[in-house]
Amino acid sequence: GENVEQHPSTLSVQEGDSAVIKCTYSDSASNYFPWYKQELGKGPQLIIDIRSNVGEKKDQRIAVTLNKTAKHFSLHITETQPEDSAVYFCAASMYSSASKIIFGSGTRLSIRP
Amino acid sequence: KAGVTQTPRYLIKTRGQQVTLSCSPISGHRSVSWYQQTPGQGLQFLFEYFSETQRNKGNFPGRFSGRQFSNSRSEMNVSTLELGDSALYLCASSGDRDYSGNTIYFGEGSWLTVV
């Protein structure tokens, strides 16, 4: 069945450095790739998304890249800050149904002061 | 614009009891999905409702059920609670725009502890 693999499961970076989280998906029909940030005790919050007709999207310190041929996409956070510490989830889905969204297993990002 | 609202936020139940969780989607959103989140299993899809009809269902036993009302508000019910049902239950809503993608927005969740 459809699957989204996410790596690494935990990541610790020095404040100010960059963090990269990678995901691969199995369903070649997937065409929408959101990223969510979940802080302790809260629900996941959408931070950025990308659709299959673009290869890269940036929003301030956050960027996402997509390689449809290789079926992988990545989240890049530059100039990391303490408030970036959270669990990050990637996901893949098709346009047609929100229920078909498949989530990765999550990456716990810790920013060291 | 208010986000997805879930109630209650925290609750403790005893094995064998039942529980009902409530979700109010973002105004104008007609699709509501429910997820179970546990440390070991991550985010697991329970079911999705659209216009009062269950559109899809995940691989959960029949003890897990839901419904959606005409105002798009949704409830999920778990009967005969088991210890393993302890989890964060997340509701998400979507505008269900077929041609523009389906961005889903999560609520803060309901923390259920079964003792």
Side-chain angles (χ1 to χ4, degrees):
Chain A
E2 298 91 337
N3 186 47
V4 174
E5 292 191 2
Q6 183 172 348
H7 300 282
S9 57
T10 61
L11 179 61
S12 179
V13 302
Q14 193 75 33
E15 182 178 351
D17 287 350
S18 296
V20 180
I21 302 171
K22 299 181 179 182
C23 291
T24 59
Y25 59 99
S26 60
D27 188 353
S28 57
S30 296
N31 49 22
Y32 173 62
F33 307 91
W35 285 87
Y36 291 86
K37 173 184 180 182
Q38 186 173 26
E39 297 176 334
L40 196 62
K42 297 188 176 182
Q45 178 186 10
L46 179 73
I47 55 172
I48 194 168
D49 56 13
I50 190 168
R51 303 187 193 281
S52 60
N53 56 344
V54 297
E56 182 176 3
K57 182 177 179 180
K58 291 184 73 173
D59 183 3
Q60 300 183 349
R61 297 185 298 108
I62 294 174
V64 58
T65 58
L66 170 66
N67 183 326
K68 283 218 75 178
T69 302
K71 292 192 284 188
H72 66 70
F73 56 113
S74 302
L75 178 71
H76 304 253
I77 306 175
T78 59
E79 300 173 13
T80 53
Q81 300 169 6
E83 54 265 36
D84 295 329
S85 293
V87 178
Y88 291 81
F89 292 94
C90 63
S93 79
M94 296 170 58
Y95 281 172
S96 59
S97 174
S99 63
K100 297 300 185 183
I101 190 166
I102 307 297
F103 289 91
S105 54
T107 296
R108 183 174 299 278
L109 175 62
S110 301
I111 307 301
R112 303 191 304 271
Chain B
K1 199 172 189 180
V4 179
T5 304
Q6 292 188 245
T7 57
R9 289 294 321 277
Y10 306 92
L11 65 166
I12 300 173
K13 291 286 187 178
T14 304
R15 273 181 300 174
Q17 288 186 315
Q18 71 157 10
V19 65
T20 298
L21 309 178
S22 180
C23 173
S24 293
I26 292 172
S27 178
H29 284 189
R30 295 188 297 167
S31 170
V32 173
S33 302
W34 288 88
Y35 297 81
Q36 182 195 65
Q37 186 176 31
T38 58
Q41 298 297 318
L43 282 159
Q44 301 284 309
F45 170 72
L46 281 156
F47 27 65
E48 180 195 13
Y49 286 87
F50 180 77
S51 294
E52 302 179 66
T53 301
Q54 187 180 87
R55 187 155 67 174
N56 282 291
K57 191 177 190 302
N59 294 322
F60 279 82
R63 301 185 296 108
F64 292 81
S65 62
R67 59 178 176 169
Q68 187 180 33
F69 303 95
S70 58
N71 60 358
S72 293
R73 190 177 70 84
S74 177
E75 290 180 347
M76 68 162 284
N77 182 276
V78 187
S79 62
T80 320
L81 283 166
E82 301 176 358
L83 295 178
D85 296 333
S86 296
L88 176 65
Y89 289 89
L90 291 161
C91 171
S93 78
S94 167
D96 201 58
R97 299 168 295 164
D98 285 347
Y99 300 102
S100 301
N102 292 304
T103 301
I104 68 169
Y105 300 91
F106 285 92
E108 297 288 56
S110 293
W111 286 94
L112 170 64
T113 301
V114 182
V115 297

